[in-house]
Amino acid sequence: MTATSADAKAPGSFRIGVQKVGSFMSGMIMPNIPALIAWGILTAFFIEVGWTPNPALESMVGPMIHYLLPILIAAQGGRMIYDARGAVVAAIATFGVIAGSDWLVDQFNASLPEGADEMGQVHMFIGAMIMGPLAAWIMKKLDALWDGKIRAGFEMLVNMFSAGIAGFGMAVAGFFLLAPVINWIMDVLGSAVGWLVQNNLLPLTSLLIEPAKVFFLNNAFNHGVLTPLGIADAAEHGKSVLFLLEANPGPGLGLLLAFTFFGVGAARATAPGAAIIHFFGGIHEVYFPYVLMKPALLLAVIAGGATGVATNVFFDAGLRAPAAPGSIFAVMAQTASGSYLGVILSVVLSAAVTFAVAALILAASRKRDLAGEDEFTEAVAKTQSNKGKESSVLAGLAGGQGTDAGTATATAIRPIETIIFACDAGMGSSAMGASVLRNKIKKAGIEDVTVTNKAISNLDGSADLVVTQVQLTDRAREKEPEAVHVSVDNFMNSPKYDEVVEMVRQQREQQQDG
């Protein structure tokens, strides 16, 4: 195998570990966002306080949130670990956790004195994110024990019964062992959030969320805590403010507008386009380099974020379901009836506060920033390094000035027919990067090459060439040891795309001559 990436080794830091955990959680949640949207639409129309209340159709709301969505998440987590076999076992095992949680709640309520407030159902989103991958991993290890030892003709019998028995065992274990733990965790987290709300301290979460976003540490907190708690809150009240703690596009918009009017050099030139991508496209990462080039701007986004949260709390506003991506369109589509004023004001006021604070900071340092083009390019590169994955929108900010690790002049061991852009979640920026290369290959007149994007966890050995950000290349090599690997920093305008096209073209010419 010949690799085209630099031998850059990602640091084994706590930050990288949190990113990996968050990316895995994101990989379980994001593919199931359509199901959450569907559930949000159901609640919007058919619950008692919905637009068109309908008791018959409302009957779908509870089972969907309590059973379908956690099992979908668990199945996705199992699939990421062990394909379809892992998904099936994960779903079985997670059903045991759900049933165990319900049984504990029933036991608790039965022990209450008459007239006391009963405990509601605990929705097993966190349980699904734990049990799903765990059950699939155990199934994978069990299969490895008897791999190659099964007598011919008995493979299907063993495979079916082993998965069924493993699923049964994990469901029982989840019922008795994991369900009590998850119920306790949800109770603690719910009490903590309730305490923040009751004491009007929820805006302080921006002190954690806004810096975490800039350093790509937010996925673990967002998908591991806010989404499960928000869904439980929305199931009870029809909406939740927790969905807006991170998704509000106002702070990013305010920051980019401040750069549009008070920035200098490349940062000012790129800010208007970045604002459009951020606000309407929902790709928040596009404003992170602007913060990193001047860390004092963290004060601006924290102030804006806290303002948005305080506004939503004041107006008792919330979303019916997660807004993903964090576009203003997605936010408005998920806004609960009666919350439009609060949500719109939260976006406007958070943008205004961020703009005001950022403008003061930029104006105070304007003389020192007159040569800020190089600083901005470095900030873009630093942002991509923090992300640990490719990002076409970030690379596009640098206008082709970013650095690219390695070269793409390797000779492929096998014909290049499948090129995959691999990142943590396999969505968003990797899809845009794949589109850039796909267009270049098409313009070169090459028709027998497929260019797609995937999550690294879903790489299955079928790729002939894999494109990744430099810090992810080692992980991609583990999944695709026989493929050619190309590492890029400047994801949108990388010169190595032309080298890849030339490599494929020369390979085709050699095949024709041979």
Side-chain angles (χ1 to χ4, degrees):
M1 178 196 73
T2 303
T4 63
S5 64
D7 295 329
K9 189 175 182 180
S13 63
F14 173 76
R15 176 177 63 82
I16 297 299
V18 173
Q19 284 180 352
K20 289 182 177 179
V21 172
S23 295
F24 191 86
M25 289 181 173
S26 177
M28 286 190 280
I29 294 291
M30 292 303 290
N32 290 302
I33 288 295
L36 286 166
I37 292 174
W39 176 77
I41 295 173
L42 277 174
T43 61
F45 280 96
F46 303 130
I47 63 174
E48 186 176 352
V49 294
W51 295 329
T52 56
N54 187 309
L57 294 175
E58 183 186 359
S59 65
M60 290 191 287
V61 173
M64 182 177 286
I65 195 66
H66 194 62
Y67 297 106
L68 176 63
L69 290 171
I71 290 174
L72 282 175
I73 290 170
Q76 175 62 17
R79 186 176 292 107
M80 292 167 67
I81 297 295
Y82 197 30
D83 298 326
R85 188 168 173 83
V88 171
V89 174
I92 299 170
T94 299
F95 198 89
V97 181
I98 296 171
S101 172
D102 290 346
W103 182 80
L104 289 171
V105 170
D106 290 342
Q107 294 297 307
F108 176 82
N109 289 337
S111 66
L112 292 175
E114 186 175 353
D117 292 335
E118 293 187 347
M119 178 188 295
Q121 287 182 319
V122 178
H123 302 303
M124 280 290 111
F125 285 83
I126 291 179
M129 285 188 279
I130 295 174
M131 178 56 84
L134 176 62
W137 180 81
I138 291 175
M139 188 71 254
K140 186 175 183 178
K141 293 301 179 182
L142 289 174
D143 281 347
L145 293 177
W146 47 75
D147 184 35
K149 301 176 183 178
I150 303 173
R151 188 183 295 273
F154 289 86
E155 294 89 351
M156 181 177 291
L157 181 67
V158 173
N159 286 340
M160 295 299 180
F161 272 86
S162 61
I165 294 171
F168 159 77
M170 292 297 293
V172 173
F175 188 101
F176 289 108
L177 300 179
L178 187 57
V181 175
I182 299 302
N183 278 14
W184 176 80
I185 291 174
M186 291 296 292
D187 183 58
V188 170
L189 292 176
S191 298
V193 172
W195 181 82
L196 290 173
V197 172
Q198 291 170 8
N199 291 277
N200 299 315
L201 296 176
L202 197 62
L204 294 181
T205 57
S206 295
L207 290 169
L208 172 65
I209 291 173
E210 296 301 332
K213 287 173 68 175
V214 173
F215 293 100
F216 296 96
L217 301 176
N218 58 308
N219 276 340
F221 182 65
N222 186 30
H223 296 303
V225 178
L226 294 181
T227 297
L229 289 176
I231 289 171
D233 189 25
E236 183 177 355
H237 301 106
K239 62 184 177 183
S240 177
V241 69
L242 300 181
F243 293 136
L244 284 163
L245 298 187
E246 193 236 16
N248 184 354
L253 176 64
L255 181 81
L256 292 170
L257 289 177
F259 269 95
T260 299
F261 292 101
F262 300 100
V264 298
R268 179 174 184 173
T270 56
I276 293 173
I277 293 172
H278 162 75
F279 192 65
F280 297 109
I283 303 179
H284 288 204
E285 67 192 51
V286 76
Y287 77 83
F288 299 168
Y290 298 85
V291 178
L292 289 175
M293 71 178 292
K294 194 176 294 296
L297 291 171
L298 279 171
L299 297 175
V301 293
I302 289 172
T307 300
V309 175
T311 303
N312 284 314
V313 171
F314 179 80
F315 283 95
D316 190 26
L319 304 186
R320 295 185 301 267
S327 159
I328 187 61
F329 297 125
V331 169
M332 296 311 299
Q334 294 291 12
T335 299
S337 57
S339 292
Y340 287 100
L341 177 61
V343 170
I344 292 172
L345 281 177
S346 74
V347 175
V348 173
L349 293 178
S350 62
V353 170
T354 301
F355 176 85
V357 177
L360 290 174
I361 294 172
L362 292 174
S365 61
R366 185 175 179 81
K367 291 183 179 179
R368 296 194 305 269
D369 295 339
L370 291 178
E373 291 89 340
D374 291 337
E375 293 179 10
F376 182 65
T377 299
E378 292 174 4
V380 172
K382 185 176 180 181
T383 303
Q384 294 192 93
S385 176
N386 286 336
K387 184 176 184 181
K389 61 190 277 189
E390 323 92 317
S391 176
S392 56
V393 292
L394 291 177
L397 293 177
Q401 300 301 317
T403 59
D404 286 299
T407 63
T409 57
T411 301
I413 298 175
R414 59 192 183 192
I416 297 178
E417 297 177 350
T418 302
I419 299 175
I420 294 177
F421 280 68
C423 64
D424 281 325
M427 300 180 182
S429 56
S430 62
M432 297 174 68
S435 177
V436 171
L437 182 57
R438 190 181 301 116
N439 289 335
K440 286 181 176 289
I441 289 177
K442 183 178 180 180
K443 289 180 180 179
I446 302 171
E447 299 180 351
D448 58 344
V449 174
T450 301
V451 183
T452 59
N453 52 291
K454 281 186 179 182
I456 286 183
S457 59
N458 291 335
L459 293 175
D460 55 10
S462 62
D464 302 312
L465 187 146
V466 180
V467 184
T468 54
Q469 197 272 343
V470 62
Q471 290 193 355
L472 286 181
T473 302
D474 287 341
R475 288 169 57 192
R477 282 200 192 109
E478 294 177 1
K479 290 283 189 176
E480 296 279 0
E482 301 300 324
V484 174
H485 288 265
V486 176
S487 298
V488 298
D489 284 335
N490 189 345
F491 201 53
M492 178 65 84
N493 300 312
S494 174
K496 283 196 277 185
Y497 294 161
D498 293 327
E499 296 177 22
V500 170
V501 173
E502 181 62 19
M503 181 198 308
V504 176
R505 188 187 63 79
Q506 291 181 2
Q507 190 182 71
R508 296 298 184 273
E509 290 180 352
Q510 293 172 2
Q511 291 173 348
Q512 292 175 0
D513 294 340

